Amino acid sequence: SQQGEEDPQALSIQEGENATMNCSYKTSINNLQWYRQNSGRGLVHLILIRSNEREKHSGRLRVTLDTSKKSSSLLITASRAADTASYFCATDLQGGSEKLVFGKGMKLTVNP
Amino acid sequence: DVKVTQSSRYLVKRTGEKVFLECVQDMDHENMFWYRQDPGLGLRLIYFSYDVKMKEKGDIPEGYSVSREKKERFSLILESASTNQTSMYLCASSFRAWYAGNTIYFGEGSWLTVV
């Protein structure tokens, strides 16, 4: 069952621009995470934001969470060609699930 | 660094064959997962294990089984491979959820083609 849905499904920008990706989910969560996947590789964890947090930063990444709207956004500032990848949001389910449910992913292309 | 190792990166198997996909993690994680990734469908959970010999079905368990005899190793078994099981398979592991926020660590994936 898909919980998170990323939007847009694909984004193409120029190096140096900011990239914003959105994620909407359906049910209450404990935390939301963002992952990155380079083409043909496994996923790599980027950042986790808990349900009682509204914003979190890690380097060039900024994540926001709005639990009232059941949505999150991932902002990558000053993008680089190396940021080209697919990005996934993942949520657990409030109430104790050990499992993460992933969205379908969003393809970001950063053109040099 | 956490390492999740999938034994085979690329496999080609025939319809009807029994297929084993092996995964080993080196971080003493309790949880291990098998996901399947297909274009347009994202990641779908096949099976989840939260302890040795313990398992739970995910969203798409049909046609698959799993084995977890040791904490570090989680195997995915296709009893009789079919062409619709051609996919990328991702193994992952994590600590138990609450204190770690259940960040998941992935292997590099196994590309399985069933002909």
Side-chain angles (χ1 to χ4, degrees), chain B residues 2-4 8 21 23 25 33-34 47 57-58 60 100 106:
Chain B
V2 176
K3 197 161 177 73
V4 179
S8 301
L21 300 179
C23 175
Q25 51 94 2
F33 309 82
W34 275 106
Y47 266 100
K57 291 180 180 179
I60 51 163
F106 282 84

Side-chain angles (χ1 to χ4, degrees), chain A residues 55-108:
Chain A
E55 188 171 312
K56 202 161 181 181
H57 296 254
S58 176
R60 294 185 296 114
L61 304 180
R62 173 178 166 250
V63 171
T64 61
L65 179 64
D66 186 335
T67 53
S68 66
K69 294 181 179 177
K70 292 187 170 59
S71 67
S72 172
S73 67
L74 171 67
L75 169 66
I76 303 175
T77 60
S79 63
R80 305 166 182 168
D83 294 328
T84 294
S86 292
Y87 292 82
F88 294 81
C89 66
T91 54
D92 64 359
L93 297 173
Q94 198 175 59
S97 173
E98 296 285 338
K99 296 175 281 190
L100 290 185
V101 181
F102 287 82
K104 294 181 181 179
M106 195 221 77
K107 173 67 178 169
L108 173 66

Side-chain angles (χ1 to χ4, degrees), chain B residues 12-56:
Chain B
V12 179
K13 297 292 181 181
R14 295 194 182 277
T15 300
E17 274 193 76
K18 190 168 186 175
V19 181
F20 292 87
L21 300 179
E22 307 284 349
C23 175
V24 176
Q25 51 94 2
D26 66 357
M27 276 299 292
D28 203 34
H29 284 164
E30 294 89 357
N31 296 336
M32 295 190 75
F33 309 82
W34 275 106
Y35 287 90
R36 170 177 171 160
Q37 185 175 21
D38 300 287
L41 296 177
L43 274 74
R44 293 179 291 167
L45 181 64
I46 305 171
Y47 266 100
F48 157 61
S49 170
Y50 52 92
D51 202 348
V52 174
K53 296 190 189 294
M54 307 304 286
K55 61 187 180 185
E56 254 184 49

